[in-house]
Amino acid sequence: MRRILACLALALGFVTVQAQAEELNIYSSRHYPSDELLFGKFKEETGITINLIQGGAAELVQRLKLEGANSPADIFITTDAANLWRAQSAGLFQPVTSPVLEKVVPAQFREPSGLWYAFATRARVIVYNKDRVKPEELSTYEALAEPQWKGRVLSRSSNNEYVQSMVAAMIAHLGEEKTEAWAKGLVANFARPPKGADTDQIRAVAVGEADVAIVNHYYFARLLASDKPADKEVVDKVRIFFPDQDSFGTHINVSGAGVAAHAPHREAAIKFLDYLASPEAQAVFAEANNEFPIVDGVAPSSVVQSFGPFKRDTLPIDDLGKNNGAAVLLLDRAGWR
Ligand code: FE
């Protein structure tokens, strides 16, 4: 009898383990059709079904906080160092590691204790109107604060994480004082008060509302790859420039993911992170979103390759989060709306 019970317990245990391993709950603030493709391929490879919950980064962080230890979340995926930092500093991730993650994710692109890992990178570049600006006139983000750019510069609002993280990087490189002087100079050069997303800035440059804008590279790549006549008109007028090539390099940010603090399916979650770092998943990111793969040997999309090689900032992405608070206060002092 005892033996039967033991067998039954084993069998039940086995069933429980199997049931747990069969699904994975992902909270994602990314909204890309390619992500669906990724999740589908993951299921094919592992048999693990993904339950996807989408929302804004701030909204999902808030939800994770409210759910606390009862949260069903296994993984939180988001873009931008600032969002990863918010989740990290609220204790929403748990440290994990694996031989794959150790091997393929460079130290620059992960939280040192394994709270999150980046799986794609993006560059914050300058785009310019080719009829109004010669590339020789461009050099650095810093130079755009000089008086000759008065009324010619566009950026999105400082509410946006992309802006905050770039300023966080500037603080790391130049110190707060110089960064604040730069931010004030840049704000003084704005062609209009910040409004819209990065693509709106690119379109405004194309029609001559401003001469230059600071945007993420993949928005420009997306327009370049588009068949729409309106997009073709835009890219006919606009060119891309990678700033700060003689100093710290063009600012780099990430898309990243970590295992949730109370993940019910921890092992499956680690498998998923391993999968995101696989050449197959990396190629999907590269092709579908025009982001840069983090894994050596996976090529960027052909549009992104056409930009040519450039010097990237090597600042640990973790440092961008640490400077986020200082960046937000500085942007406010600089009057960057
Ligand atoms: Fe974006």
Side-chain angles (χ1 to χ4, degrees):
M1 184 62 189
R2 193 177 282 173
R3 209 160 150 192
I4 293 171
L5 277 177
C7 283
L8 196 63
L10 261 178
L12 282 174
F14 177 74
V15 168
T16 312
V17 167
Q18 282 301 298
Q20 279 181 350
E22 279 169 2
E23 59 179 347
L24 186 67
N25 302 321
I26 296 185
Y27 285 20
S28 171
S29 77
R30 289 169 51 96
H31 303 269
Y32 302 110
S34 59
D35 288 3
E36 303 291 332
L37 183 68
L38 277 175
F39 301 155
K41 285 192 172 185
F42 178 71
K43 184 175 180 187
E44 248 171 60
E45 273 184 27
T46 61
I48 299 168
T49 301
I50 289 175
N51 306 312
L52 182 63
I53 289 173
Q54 287 186 306
E59 183 192 331
L60 291 176
V61 163
Q62 189 57 24
R63 180 166 173 168
L64 284 161
K65 279 188 199 171
L66 289 172
E67 288 171 345
N70 297 320
S71 177
D74 292 306
I75 291 272
F76 176 50
I77 303 187
T78 189
T79 57
D80 204 286
N83 291 324
L84 290 166
W85 170 256
R86 277 166 204 155
Q88 169 187 341
S89 49
L92 302 177
F93 291 130
Q94 61 174 296
V96 299
T97 189
S98 77
V100 171
L101 295 170
E102 283 298 321
K103 184 165 175 244
V104 305
V105 182
Q108 184 191 1
F109 299 129
R110 56 164 120 151
E111 197 282 326
S113 67
L115 292 174
W116 53 258
Y117 294 83
F119 47 83
T121 70
R122 54 268 304 280
R124 199 135 180 92
V125 301
I126 296 173
V127 291
Y128 62 96
N129 184 306
K130 73 169 175 32
D131 300 333
R132 291 162 167 261
V133 177
K134 293 190 189 79
E136 308 87 79
E137 294 174 76
L138 295 167
S139 58
T140 61
Y141 304 111
E142 298 94 295
L144 294 183
E146 287 166 10
Q148 68 265 32
W149 294 99
K150 190 150 192 70
R152 303 170 68 192
V153 180
L154 284 183
S155 163
R156 69 197 291 170
S157 152
S158 64
N159 289 336
N160 182 260
E161 287 81 14
Y162 303 162
V163 172
Q164 294 168 11
S165 289
M166 185 183 142
V167 169
M170 305 279 283
I171 291 173
H173 291 302
L174 307 173
E176 280 207 40
E177 207 175 304
K178 279 190 183 160
T179 304
E180 186 167 339
W182 166 77
K184 284 180 173 153
L186 198 75
V187 169
N189 288 343
F190 282 171
R192 66 180 187 198
K195 64 169 180 179
D198 281 359
T199 303
D200 300 310
Q201 319 306 321
I202 303 172
R203 293 191 195 284
V205 166
V207 297
E209 256 188 78
D211 295 350
V212 296
I214 302 173
V215 298
N216 282 356
H217 81 279
Y218 55 88
Y219 292 108
F220 184 63
R222 195 179 291 168
L223 290 170
L224 266 178
S226 169
D227 293 329
K228 292 184 189 152
D231 294 342
K232 286 185 181 296
E233 270 176 46
V234 168
V235 295
D236 184 48
K237 292 284 182 200
V238 178
R239 297 291 179 269
I240 187 170
F241 183 85
F242 291 90
D244 289 89
Q245 295 300 286
D246 297 329
S247 57
F248 45 79
T250 299
H251 171 59
I252 296 294
N253 208 323
V254 297
S255 289
V259 176
H262 306 285
H265 312 101
R266 186 175 186 273
E267 293 311 312
I270 296 171
K271 260 189 208 168
F272 183 73
L273 293 186
D274 283 352
Y275 169 73
L276 291 182
S278 69
E280 185 194 18
Q282 289 282 304
V284 174
F285 285 117
E287 285 308 318
N289 298 328
N290 292 299
E291 288 177 88
F292 296 100
I294 49 148
V295 173
D296 276 349
V298 179
S301 69
S302 56
V303 172
V304 169
Q305 282 185 49
S306 76
F307 298 155
F310 67 97
K311 182 178 172 183
R312 294 138 188 265
D313 195 345
T314 56
L315 198 68
I317 297 301
D318 194 41
D319 289 0
L320 303 180
K322 288 178 187 149
N323 282 348
N324 180 265
V328 169
L329 292 172
L330 187 152
L331 282 158
D332 189 48
R333 290 197 301 274
W336 189 321
R337 284 200 238 159

